[in-house]
Amino acid sequence: LIAQQQWDIVQDVRKHKKRTPKQMEEPNMFSGLVYCADCKKTMVLHRAHTMKASYNNFKCYTYNKRGKDVCSAHYLKEQDLVKIVLDDLRRVTHFARQKELNAAIPVKETRLEKLKASAANVEAFIEKAKRYTDIPELTPELLRLFIERIEIGERSERYSRTAEQDIRIVYRDVGVMDSVEPVESDEQEIEELTEQAESGQKTA
């Protein structure tokens, strides 16, 4: 299974690896993974040999093609996205290895039937996480091994570079992961549902 996953990932990376001008450096590692949270179209990476790498940025495809009356820019620097995704990937894989993954799944998603159906997926994610105890940098292979898609929201104050911006990372097998600090009133519900799901798995 792991060998097949690796093969699929390599093929996916090759599919999204576009030829870049000689002046450019690496191809866009996020190709095919980053989407606008509002119009759901892809986010386009803007860069040029005349522009410093620190200015490389993502903008909504719809905004570029049809203008601000249809969608907004959802501007985000590439280097900021790399840091956000790398930090979150380290966080999620760490808690997966500690088997605290269920506590990070959003409470609204932790219903008994969903837990039963996703138990195998959670275990698959944990097994992948065990193989990566140290993640020094992002690579196209790692992105596609763990992440299904990334959705970029607009800033709370449009055109402000300092306003809060929502980034939604959807992981393969387990979906969107919440903060690992669950609200106290919901913790008991999660534990009860998890125990019921595990009990159901044993008797199935």
PDB file of all heavy atoms in Angstrom, residues 102-133:
ATOM      1  N   ASN A 102      -7.780  12.298  17.228  1.00  0.00           N
ATOM      2  CA  ASN A 102      -9.224  12.470  17.383  1.00  0.00           C
ATOM      3  C   ASN A 102      -9.579  13.773  18.084  1.00  0.00           C
ATOM      4  O   ASN A 102     -10.607  14.385  17.810  1.00  0.00           O
ATOM      5  CB  ASN A 102      -9.818  11.294  18.165  1.00  0.00           C
ATOM      6  CG  ASN A 102      -9.929  10.045  17.309  1.00  0.00           C
ATOM      7  OD1 ASN A 102     -10.096  10.143  16.103  1.00  0.00           O
ATOM      8  ND2 ASN A 102      -9.817   8.892  17.926  1.00  0.00           N
ATOM      9  N   ALA A 103      -8.737  14.217  19.003  1.00  0.00           N
ATOM     10  CA  ALA A 103      -9.004  15.454  19.729  1.00  0.00           C
ATOM     11  C   ALA A 103      -8.858  16.672  18.839  1.00  0.00           C
ATOM     12  O   ALA A 103      -9.355  17.744  19.161  1.00  0.00           O
ATOM     13  CB  ALA A 103      -8.063  15.577  20.926  1.00  0.00           C
ATOM     14  N   ALA A 104      -8.170  16.520  17.714  1.00  0.00           N
ATOM     15  CA  ALA A 104      -7.958  17.650  16.818  1.00  0.00           C
ATOM     16  C   ALA A 104      -8.990  17.720  15.706  1.00  0.00           C
ATOM     17  O   ALA A 104      -9.066  18.703  14.994  1.00  0.00           O
ATOM     18  CB  ALA A 104      -6.560  17.568  16.205  1.00  0.00           C
ATOM     19  N   ILE A 105      -9.801  16.675  15.550  1.00  0.00           N
ATOM     20  CA  ILE A 105     -10.847  16.701  14.537  1.00  0.00           C
ATOM     21  C   ILE A 105     -11.963  17.626  15.016  1.00  0.00           C
ATOM     22  O   ILE A 105     -12.376  17.554  16.163  1.00  0.00           O
ATOM     23  CB  ILE A 105     -11.405  15.283  14.289  1.00  0.00           C
ATOM     24  CG1 ILE A 105     -10.287  14.377  13.760  1.00  0.00           C
ATOM     25  CG2 ILE A 105     -12.571  15.312  13.316  1.00  0.00           C
ATOM     26  CD1 ILE A 105     -10.698  12.937  13.599  1.00  0.00           C
ATOM     27  N   PRO A 106     -12.451  18.541  14.165  1.00  0.00           N
ATOM     28  CA  PRO A 106     -13.492  19.480  14.597  1.00  0.00           C
ATOM     29  C   PRO A 106     -14.668  18.777  15.257  1.00  0.00           C
ATOM     30  O   PRO A 106     -15.129  17.741  14.783  1.00  0.00           O
ATOM     31  CB  PRO A 106     -13.919  20.145  13.278  1.00  0.00           C
ATOM     32  CG  PRO A 106     -12.712  20.033  12.413  1.00  0.00           C
ATOM     33  CD  PRO A 106     -12.075  18.725  12.771  1.00  0.00           C
ATOM     34  N   VAL A 107     -15.158  19.354  16.355  1.00  0.00           N
ATOM     35  CA  VAL A 107     -16.243  18.739  17.117  1.00  0.00           C
ATOM     36  C   VAL A 107     -17.474  18.523  16.250  1.00  0.00           C
ATOM     37  O   VAL A 107     -18.147  17.508  16.347  1.00  0.00           O
ATOM     38  CB  VAL A 107     -16.598  19.626  18.335  1.00  0.00           C
ATOM     39  CG1 VAL A 107     -17.849  19.101  19.029  1.00  0.00           C
ATOM     40  CG2 VAL A 107     -15.431  19.659  19.300  1.00  0.00           C
ATOM     41  N   LYS A 108     -17.773  19.464  15.379  1.00  0.00           N
ATOM     42  CA  LYS A 108     -18.968  19.322  14.547  1.00  0.00           C
ATOM     43  C   LYS A 108     -18.866  18.124  13.610  1.00  0.00           C
ATOM     44  O   LYS A 108     -19.871  17.661  13.078  1.00  0.00           O
ATOM     45  CB  LYS A 108     -19.194  20.596  13.733  1.00  0.00           C
ATOM     46  CG  LYS A 108     -18.095  20.911  12.735  1.00  0.00           C
ATOM     47  CD  LYS A 108     -18.389  22.200  11.988  1.00  0.00           C
ATOM     48  CE  LYS A 108     -17.290  22.530  10.990  1.00  0.00           C
ATOM     49  NZ  LYS A 108     -17.562  23.790  10.266  1.00  0.00           N
ATOM     50  N   GLU A 109     -17.643  17.632  13.391  1.00  0.00           N
ATOM     51  CA  GLU A 109     -17.452  16.483  12.516  1.00  0.00           C
ATOM     52  C   GLU A 109     -17.371  15.176  13.289  1.00  0.00           C
ATOM     53  O   GLU A 109     -17.386  14.103  12.705  1.00  0.00           O
ATOM     54  CB  GLU A 109     -16.165  16.660  11.699  1.00  0.00           C
ATOM     55  CG  GLU A 109     -16.167  17.867  10.779  1.00  0.00           C
ATOM     56  CD  GLU A 109     -17.165  17.734   9.647  1.00  0.00           C
ATOM     57  OE1 GLU A 109     -17.557  16.593   9.338  1.00  0.00           O
ATOM     58  OE2 GLU A 109     -17.565  18.759   9.093  1.00  0.00           O
ATOM     59  N   THR A 110     -17.239  15.257  14.609  1.00  0.00           N
ATOM     60  CA  THR A 110     -17.022  14.038  15.387  1.00  0.00           C
ATOM     61  C   THR A 110     -18.343  13.410  15.796  1.00  0.00           C
ATOM     62  O   THR A 110     -18.710  13.400  16.960  1.00  0.00           O
ATOM     63  CB  THR A 110     -16.170  14.329  16.638  1.00  0.00           C
ATOM     64  OG1 THR A 110     -16.790  15.383  17.384  1.00  0.00           O
ATOM     65  CG2 THR A 110     -14.765  14.727  16.262  1.00  0.00           C
ATOM     66  N   ARG A 111     -19.054  12.901  14.848  1.00  0.00           N
ATOM     67  CA  ARG A 111     -20.266  12.142  15.108  1.00  0.00           C
ATOM     68  C   ARG A 111     -19.927  10.660  15.017  1.00  0.00           C
ATOM     69  O   ARG A 111     -18.997  10.260  14.313  1.00  0.00           O
ATOM     70  CB  ARG A 111     -21.351  12.513  14.103  1.00  0.00           C
ATOM     71  CG  ARG A 111     -21.801  13.971  14.232  1.00  0.00           C
ATOM     72  CD  ARG A 111     -22.462  14.220  15.591  1.00  0.00           C
ATOM     73  NE  ARG A 111     -22.838  15.619  15.749  1.00  0.00           N
ATOM     74  CZ  ARG A 111     -22.129  16.500  16.423  1.00  0.00           C
ATOM     75  NH1 ARG A 111     -20.980  16.139  16.981  1.00  0.00           N
ATOM     76  NH2 ARG A 111     -22.543  17.741  16.531  1.00  0.00           N
ATOM     77  N   LEU A 112     -20.690   9.855  15.727  1.00  0.00           N
ATOM     78  CA  LEU A 112     -20.363   8.438  15.851  1.00  0.00           C
ATOM     79  C   LEU A 112     -20.175   7.758  14.504  1.00  0.00           C
ATOM     80  O   LEU A 112     -19.184   7.061  14.288  1.00  0.00           O
ATOM     81  CB  LEU A 112     -21.461   7.724  16.647  1.00  0.00           C
ATOM     82  CG  LEU A 112     -21.278   6.216  16.835  1.00  0.00           C
ATOM     83  CD1 LEU A 112     -19.955   5.927  17.527  1.00  0.00           C
ATOM     84  CD2 LEU A 112     -22.436   5.649  17.643  1.00  0.00           C
ATOM     85  N   GLU A 113     -21.106   7.944  13.582  1.00  0.00           N
ATOM     86  CA  GLU A 113     -21.010   7.254  12.302  1.00  0.00           C
ATOM     87  C   GLU A 113     -19.778   7.687  11.525  1.00  0.00           C
ATOM     88  O   GLU A 113     -19.141   6.881  10.859  1.00  0.00           O
ATOM     89  CB  GLU A 113     -22.281   7.502  11.474  1.00  0.00           C
ATOM     90  CG  GLU A 113     -23.525   6.844  12.041  1.00  0.00           C
ATOM     91  CD  GLU A 113     -23.327   5.351  12.253  1.00  0.00           C
ATOM     92  OE1 GLU A 113     -22.777   4.684  11.349  1.00  0.00           O
ATOM     93  OE2 GLU A 113     -23.713   4.847  13.318  1.00  0.00           O
ATOM     94  N   LYS A 114     -19.448   8.981  11.615  1.00  0.00           N
ATOM     95  CA  LYS A 114     -18.267   9.467  10.900  1.00  0.00           C
ATOM     96  C   LYS A 114     -16.998   8.876  11.501  1.00  0.00           C
ATOM     97  O   LYS A 114     -16.066   8.519  10.793  1.00  0.00           O
ATOM     98  CB  LYS A 114     -18.204  10.995  10.937  1.00  0.00           C
ATOM     99  CG  LYS A 114     -17.046  11.553  10.116  1.00  0.00           C
ATOM    100  CD  LYS A 114     -17.120  13.055  10.015  1.00  0.00           C
ATOM    101  CE  LYS A 114     -15.976  13.597   9.180  1.00  0.00           C
ATOM    102  NZ  LYS A 114     -16.032  13.175   7.787  1.00  0.00           N
ATOM    103  N   LEU A 115     -16.974   8.777  12.832  1.00  0.00           N
ATOM    104  CA  LEU A 115     -15.806   8.193  13.486  1.00  0.00           C
ATOM    105  C   LEU A 115     -15.619   6.736  13.081  1.00  0.00           C
ATOM    106  O   LEU A 115     -14.506   6.279  12.833  1.00  0.00           O
ATOM    107  CB  LEU A 115     -15.946   8.295  15.007  1.00  0.00           C
ATOM    108  CG  LEU A 115     -15.633   9.664  15.615  1.00  0.00           C
ATOM    109  CD1 LEU A 115     -16.001   9.672  17.088  1.00  0.00           C
ATOM    110  CD2 LEU A 115     -14.169  10.013  15.437  1.00  0.00           C
ATOM    111  N   LYS A 116     -16.725   6.013  13.008  1.00  0.00           N
ATOM    112  CA  LYS A 116     -16.638   4.612  12.601  1.00  0.00           C
ATOM    113  C   LYS A 116     -16.093   4.496  11.181  1.00  0.00           C
ATOM    114  O   LYS A 116     -15.232   3.677  10.891  1.00  0.00           O
ATOM    115  CB  LYS A 116     -18.021   3.959  12.680  1.00  0.00           C
ATOM    116  CG  LYS A 116     -18.507   3.678  14.092  1.00  0.00           C
ATOM    117  CD  LYS A 116     -19.869   3.003  14.044  1.00  0.00           C
ATOM    118  CE  LYS A 116     -20.368   2.668  15.445  1.00  0.00           C
ATOM    119  NZ  LYS A 116     -21.697   2.021  15.413  1.00  0.00           N
ATOM    120  N   ALA A 117     -16.623   5.335  10.303  1.00  0.00           N
ATOM    121  CA  ALA A 117     -16.233   5.259   8.896  1.00  0.00           C
ATOM    122  C   ALA A 117     -14.796   5.703   8.674  1.00  0.00           C
ATOM    123  O   ALA A 117     -14.120   5.235   7.762  1.00  0.00           O
ATOM    124  CB  ALA A 117     -17.178   6.119   8.058  1.00  0.00           C
ATOM    125  N   SER A 118     -14.320   6.625   9.526  1.00  0.00           N
ATOM    126  CA  SER A 118     -12.993   7.189   9.293  1.00  0.00           C
ATOM    127  C   SER A 118     -11.892   6.545  10.131  1.00  0.00           C
ATOM    128  O   SER A 118     -10.737   6.949  10.045  1.00  0.00           O
ATOM    129  CB  SER A 118     -13.015   8.693   9.584  1.00  0.00           C
ATOM    130  OG  SER A 118     -13.271   8.926  10.954  1.00  0.00           O
ATOM    131  N   ALA A 119     -12.235   5.554  10.948  1.00  0.00           N
ATOM    132  CA  ALA A 119     -11.234   4.944  11.829  1.00  0.00           C
ATOM    133  C   ALA A 119     -10.035   4.421  11.048  1.00  0.00           C
ATOM    134  O   ALA A 119      -8.880   4.628  11.428  1.00  0.00           O
ATOM    135  CB  ALA A 119     -11.871   3.815  12.637  1.00  0.00           C
ATOM    136  N   ALA A 120     -10.297   3.756   9.938  1.00  0.00           N
ATOM    137  CA  ALA A 120      -9.204   3.210   9.125  1.00  0.00           C
ATOM    138  C   ALA A 120      -8.365   4.329   8.524  1.00  0.00           C
ATOM    139  O   ALA A 120      -7.136   4.219   8.432  1.00  0.00           O
ATOM    140  CB  ALA A 120      -9.770   2.324   8.015  1.00  0.00           C
ATOM    141  N   ASN A 121      -9.022   5.420   8.115  1.00  0.00           N
ATOM    142  CA  ASN A 121      -8.287   6.548   7.543  1.00  0.00           C
ATOM    143  C   ASN A 121      -7.373   7.198   8.572  1.00  0.00           C
ATOM    144  O   ASN A 121      -6.253   7.608   8.258  1.00  0.00           O
ATOM    145  CB  ASN A 121      -9.262   7.595   6.994  1.00  0.00           C
ATOM    146  CG  ASN A 121      -9.974   7.120   5.746  1.00  0.00           C
ATOM    147  OD1 ASN A 121      -9.546   6.169   5.108  1.00  0.00           O
ATOM    148  ND2 ASN A 121     -11.061   7.779   5.409  1.00  0.00           N
ATOM    149  N   VAL A 122      -7.864   7.317   9.803  1.00  0.00           N
ATOM    150  CA  VAL A 122      -7.051   7.895  10.874  1.00  0.00           C
ATOM    151  C   VAL A 122      -5.813   7.043  11.108  1.00  0.00           C
ATOM    152  O   VAL A 122      -4.698   7.552  11.246  1.00  0.00           O
ATOM    153  CB  VAL A 122      -7.872   8.027  12.179  1.00  0.00           C
ATOM    154  CG1 VAL A 122      -6.961   8.382  13.352  1.00  0.00           C
ATOM    155  CG2 VAL A 122      -8.958   9.083  12.018  1.00  0.00           C
ATOM    156  N   GLU A 123      -5.997   5.736  11.143  1.00  0.00           N
ATOM    157  CA  GLU A 123      -4.861   4.840  11.344  1.00  0.00           C
ATOM    158  C   GLU A 123      -3.862   4.954  10.199  1.00  0.00           C
ATOM    159  O   GLU A 123      -2.649   4.921  10.409  1.00  0.00           O
ATOM    160  CB  GLU A 123      -5.347   3.391  11.480  1.00  0.00           C
ATOM    161  CG  GLU A 123      -6.044   3.094  12.791  1.00  0.00           C
ATOM    162  CD  GLU A 123      -5.151   3.373  13.997  1.00  0.00           C
ATOM    163  OE1 GLU A 123      -3.952   3.023  13.943  1.00  0.00           O
ATOM    164  OE2 GLU A 123      -5.645   3.951  14.975  1.00  0.00           O
ATOM    165  N   ALA A 124      -4.373   5.101   8.981  1.00  0.00           N
ATOM    166  CA  ALA A 124      -3.488   5.248   7.821  1.00  0.00           C
ATOM    167  C   ALA A 124      -2.675   6.534   7.935  1.00  0.00           C
ATOM    168  O   ALA A 124      -1.477   6.559   7.626  1.00  0.00           O
ATOM    169  CB  ALA A 124      -4.308   5.253   6.530  1.00  0.00           C
ATOM    170  N   PHE A 125      -3.322   7.599   8.405  1.00  0.00           N
ATOM    171  CA  PHE A 125      -2.623   8.872   8.569  1.00  0.00           C
ATOM    172  C   PHE A 125      -1.547   8.756   9.647  1.00  0.00           C
ATOM    173  O   PHE A 125      -0.433   9.264   9.496  1.00  0.00           O
ATOM    174  CB  PHE A 125      -3.619   9.976   8.939  1.00  0.00           C
ATOM    175  CG  PHE A 125      -3.031  11.356   8.895  1.00  0.00           C
ATOM    176  CD1 PHE A 125      -3.079  12.107   7.733  1.00  0.00           C
ATOM    177  CD2 PHE A 125      -2.418  11.908  10.017  1.00  0.00           C
ATOM    178  CE1 PHE A 125      -2.530  13.380   7.683  1.00  0.00           C
ATOM    179  CE2 PHE A 125      -1.864  13.173   9.978  1.00  0.00           C
ATOM    180  CZ  PHE A 125      -1.923  13.917   8.805  1.00  0.00           C
ATOM    181  N   ILE A 126      -1.878   8.081  10.735  1.00  0.00           N
ATOM    182  CA  ILE A 126      -0.913   7.893  11.824  1.00  0.00           C
ATOM    183  C   ILE A 126       0.304   7.115  11.333  1.00  0.00           C
ATOM    184  O   ILE A 126       1.449   7.453  11.658  1.00  0.00           O
ATOM    185  CB  ILE A 126      -1.573   7.167  13.016  1.00  0.00           C
ATOM    186  CG1 ILE A 126      -2.589   8.095  13.689  1.00  0.00           C
ATOM    187  CG2 ILE A 126      -0.525   6.707  14.025  1.00  0.00           C
ATOM    188  CD1 ILE A 126      -3.424   7.422  14.764  1.00  0.00           C
ATOM    189  N   GLU A 127       0.066   6.090  10.533  1.00  0.00           N
ATOM    190  CA  GLU A 127       1.179   5.296  10.006  1.00  0.00           C
ATOM    191  C   GLU A 127       2.089   6.144   9.119  1.00  0.00           C
ATOM    192  O   GLU A 127       3.313   6.006   9.155  1.00  0.00           O
ATOM    193  CB  GLU A 127       0.640   4.093   9.218  1.00  0.00           C
ATOM    194  CG  GLU A 127       0.042   3.005  10.097  1.00  0.00           C
ATOM    195  CD  GLU A 127       1.027   2.504  11.148  1.00  0.00           C
ATOM    196  OE1 GLU A 127       2.187   2.200  10.779  1.00  0.00           O
ATOM    197  OE2 GLU A 127       0.653   2.442  12.328  1.00  0.00           O
ATOM    198  N   LYS A 128       1.495   7.025   8.328  1.00  0.00           N
ATOM    199  CA  LYS A 128       2.309   7.913   7.495  1.00  0.00           C
ATOM    200  C   LYS A 128       3.115   8.868   8.369  1.00  0.00           C
ATOM    201  O   LYS A 128       4.296   9.124   8.113  1.00  0.00           O
ATOM    202  CB  LYS A 128       1.421   8.709   6.531  1.00  0.00           C
ATOM    203  CG  LYS A 128       0.867   7.900   5.383  1.00  0.00           C
ATOM    204  CD  LYS A 128       0.221   8.776   4.327  1.00  0.00           C
ATOM    205  CE  LYS A 128      -1.016   9.467   4.842  1.00  0.00           C
ATOM    206  NZ  LYS A 128      -1.734  10.205   3.761  1.00  0.00           N
ATOM    207  N   ALA A 129       2.463   9.400   9.410  1.00  0.00           N
ATOM    208  CA  ALA A 129       3.128  10.360  10.293  1.00  0.00           C
ATOM    209  C   ALA A 129       4.323   9.737  11.006  1.00  0.00           C
ATOM    210  O   ALA A 129       5.330  10.409  11.258  1.00  0.00           O
ATOM    211  CB  ALA A 129       2.131  10.909  11.312  1.00  0.00           C
ATOM    212  N   LYS A 130       4.228   8.452  11.328  1.00  0.00           N
ATOM    213  CA  LYS A 130       5.323   7.766  12.021  1.00  0.00           C
ATOM    214  C   LYS A 130       6.585   7.717  11.168  1.00  0.00           C
ATOM    215  O   LYS A 130       7.690   7.601  11.691  1.00  0.00           O
ATOM    216  CB  LYS A 130       4.894   6.342  12.388  1.00  0.00           C
ATOM    217  CG  LYS A 130       3.906   6.264  13.543  1.00  0.00           C
ATOM    218  CD  LYS A 130       3.515   4.817  13.809  1.00  0.00           C
ATOM    219  CE  LYS A 130       2.540   4.708  14.971  1.00  0.00           C
ATOM    220  NZ  LYS A 130       2.116   3.301  15.190  1.00  0.00           N
ATOM    221  N   ARG A 131       6.420   7.787   9.863  1.00  0.00           N
ATOM    222  CA  ARG A 131       7.570   7.718   8.963  1.00  0.00           C
ATOM    223  C   ARG A 131       8.278   9.060   8.836  1.00  0.00           C
ATOM    224  O   ARG A 131       9.357   9.144   8.259  1.00  0.00           O
ATOM    225  CB  ARG A 131       7.116   7.242   7.585  1.00  0.00           C
ATOM    226  CG  ARG A 131       6.599   5.805   7.587  1.00  0.00           C
ATOM    227  CD  ARG A 131       5.760   5.514   6.354  1.00  0.00           C
ATOM    228  NE  ARG A 131       6.414   5.980   5.138  1.00  0.00           N
ATOM    229  CZ  ARG A 131       5.763   6.410   4.060  1.00  0.00           C
ATOM    230  NH1 ARG A 131       4.452   6.462   4.063  1.00  0.00           N
ATOM    231  NH2 ARG A 131       6.420   6.792   2.990  1.00  0.00           N
ATOM    232  N   TYR A 132       7.653  10.117   9.374  1.00  0.00           N
ATOM    233  CA  TYR A 132       8.240  11.454   9.244  1.00  0.00           C
ATOM    234  C   TYR A 132       8.311  12.119  10.614  1.00  0.00           C
ATOM    235  O   TYR A 132       7.515  12.989  10.950  1.00  0.00           O
ATOM    236  CB  TYR A 132       7.414  12.299   8.272  1.00  0.00           C
ATOM    237  CG  TYR A 132       7.460  11.777   6.858  1.00  0.00           C
ATOM    238  CD1 TYR A 132       6.509  10.867   6.407  1.00  0.00           C
ATOM    239  CD2 TYR A 132       8.472  12.163   5.980  1.00  0.00           C
ATOM    240  CE1 TYR A 132       6.560  10.364   5.111  1.00  0.00           C
ATOM    241  CE2 TYR A 132       8.533  11.665   4.688  1.00  0.00           C
ATOM    242  CZ  TYR A 132       7.573  10.770   4.267  1.00  0.00           C
ATOM    243  OH  TYR A 132       7.631  10.272   2.985  1.00  0.00           O
ATOM    244  N   THR A 133       9.272  11.678  11.411  1.00  0.00           N
ATOM    245  CA  THR A 133       9.443  12.245  12.752  1.00  0.00           C
ATOM    246  C   THR A 133      10.113  13.609  12.699  1.00  0.00           C
ATOM    247  O   THR A 133      10.051  14.376  13.654  1.00  0.00           O
ATOM    248  CB  THR A 133      10.287  11.304  13.630  1.00  0.00           C
ATOM    249  OG1 THR A 133      11.549  11.063  12.980  1.00  0.00           O
ATOM    250  CG2 THR A 133       9.565   9.979  13.837  1.00  0.00           C
TER     251      THR A 133
END
